[in-house]
Structure formats: structure tokens, C-alpha cells
Amino acid sequence: MTAGSTTAERVLSFHEFLAGIDLQLPNGFKAVNPYAKDRSAGAAAALITDFYETFYADCLPRHLILGSSPARRGSAITGVPFAGPEVLSRLNHELAQGYRVAPASARFLDSVIHSYGGYSAFYQNFLMGFACPIGIISVLEGSRERNANYYDTQPLRRAVDNLLVESFRRQAECGADRSVCYVIGSGSNYKILAELNRDLQCFEELVPLPHPRYVTQYAPSRTAEFADLYLRELRRRT
């Protein structure tokens, strides 16, 4: 990354790298690349640029927060990790105005962000991304399409291994603060990124956070408790 570049410039440069990725996946899976070259002149590209130039046009060091991969009806459409319709509606683009999907996980994170101090305060301290920034969809014959995790099968994991390594390294450079990286998902996603970090030494520490989907689907009565856990961890280092 260019010395002195803004966070927005570093992230958009990373997206240019992703635009050239042609991910070859095992049978039964397909990739959804929100940064693909055939979308580079479309509404998604304009939305992505506007988002990062709105919230990241500076050189402040930020902590990185990494989920597993973008959902097919969420970030795989918009290209903006974990951003729901509330924050995207602030951006004057057709895709943002028409984007109304608000999964429970996005609503949970929105509540955490609001409690933290709002979007501007949150994005000033944190940069969100994915271990595998290209979405993966299961397309098994006879079944409807559904989101897949990059670690669901060993052949799938092997197919994305080089992308995981390069994305982890490049996103560490985008955030710049190497003291800690937060990992959404305390199971496989955290385990895999912890192994990568032992090899690459990108961060001093990785901190797992419970996945919002787990919270909202399996422990909805404890939503406030898990939101407080997020806030304690995030505020402990900012």
C-alpha cells in the first residue's frame, strides 16, 4: 500500500485486487464477487466508493473486524461489509435507496454501532471486512441456493486458501492498527484466522466475538447480553 494513503484509498485498492480474482470452486458451489470487473462501472462500485470516501477519507489507524464471507443477499450485493439499509440509505445511490434487506445479524450490529456512538464514531475506530471477501453460494442440485461458509468442506477450503492468505495480509494493511483484530464467529472462522495469524504475524492478538446470526437465531433472549459483550471488547481498546 502507498505510504500516506487514506484508509479509503487502501480499501479501494484492495477491491481492485479482488476484482481480478476468478475463484474456481468445487462442484456445488459458485462465487459471487461484488468487486468483479463486470460490475466496476455499475451502481455497486459507485456505492462502495461513496461509502468509503464518506467514512474513511483519512489516515487514522483502525482496528479490523473480520467476518467469514459476504451473504448473497447482503454484502455480496452491496460490496460494503455488514452495512444494513439504515447506513446505506445515507448514500445517494440507486442501489442504496433500493436496498431493503435487513437480516437479523445486520440489525444486531446496527444496535451495537448505535450504542457505541453511531456510525461516524464507530467507523472512525473500526474497519469491517471478511476472511473470504468473495461470497460463496451452495448450488447443489435439487436444493435452493443458500449461503455457504468457506470452511464448509475441505475441497472448498483448499480452493480459497490463497485468497484467505492474501486477503488477511492486505486487510491488515488497510486497517493499519496491528494491536488487535476482532473475528466475528468464535468457531471455525476464528480458528482458521488464528492459524493464519500465527504464520503471518499480522496482529498481536485476535479476539473472537459471537456471530450475530448465532445470537439472533439461537439466543434471542440474550441479545442485550451479547451486545454488551461486543461493546466491552470494542471499547477496551479504543
Side-chain angles (χ1 to χ4, degrees), residues 124-148:
Q124 183 173 309
N125 287 297
F126 301 100
L127 176 67
M128 305 191 81
F130 294 106
C132 178
I134 295 176
I136 301 173
I137 298 175
S138 172
V139 289
L140 295 175
E141 187 175 353
S143 301
R144 65 177 184 175
E145 291 188 352
R146 63 177 181 82
N147 291 319

Side-chain angles (χ1 to χ4, degrees), residues 172-185:
E173 294 175 353
C174 289
D177 189 318
R178 303 297 189 95
S179 60
V180 64
C181 172
Y182 298 94
V183 179
I184 293 179

Side-chain angles (χ1 to χ4, degrees), residues 39-165:
R39 304 185 70 193
S40 62
L47 173 63
I48 292 166
T49 299
D50 196 8
F51 175 83
Y52 286 102
E53 290 184 347
T54 297
F55 293 106
Y56 293 97
D58 57 60
C59 300
L60 296 173
R62 290 171 168 88
H63 296 299
L64 190 61
I65 303 176
L66 291 179
S68 55
S69 58
R72 75 188 196 284
R73 297 180 61 210
S75 301
I77 295 174
T78 65
V80 182
F82 296 103
E86 182 178 346
V87 64
L88 294 182
S89 67
R90 299 183 179 197
L91 308 177
N92 189 27
H93 289 288
E94 180 181 354
L95 180 59
Q97 299 306 318
Y99 181 68
R100 293 293 179 266
V101 176
S105 57
R107 294 196 298 272
F108 172 82
L109 289 172
D110 271 347
S111 72
V112 170
I113 290 171
H114 281 299
S115 296
Y116 185 85
Y119 294 112
S120 295
F122 183 83
Y123 291 136
Q124 183 173 309
N125 287 297
F126 301 100
L127 176 67
M128 305 191 81
F130 294 106
C132 178
I134 295 176
I136 301 173
I137 298 175
S138 172
V139 289
L140 295 175
E141 187 175 353
S143 301
R144 65 177 184 175
E145 291 188 352
R146 63 177 181 82
N147 291 319
N149 294 306
Y150 68 87
Y151 46 76
D152 279 348
T153 70
Q154 283 300 316
L156 183 59
R157 168 66 199 282
R158 287 193 295 270
V160 303
D161 193 55
N162 290 338
L163 176 62
L164 294 183
V165 171

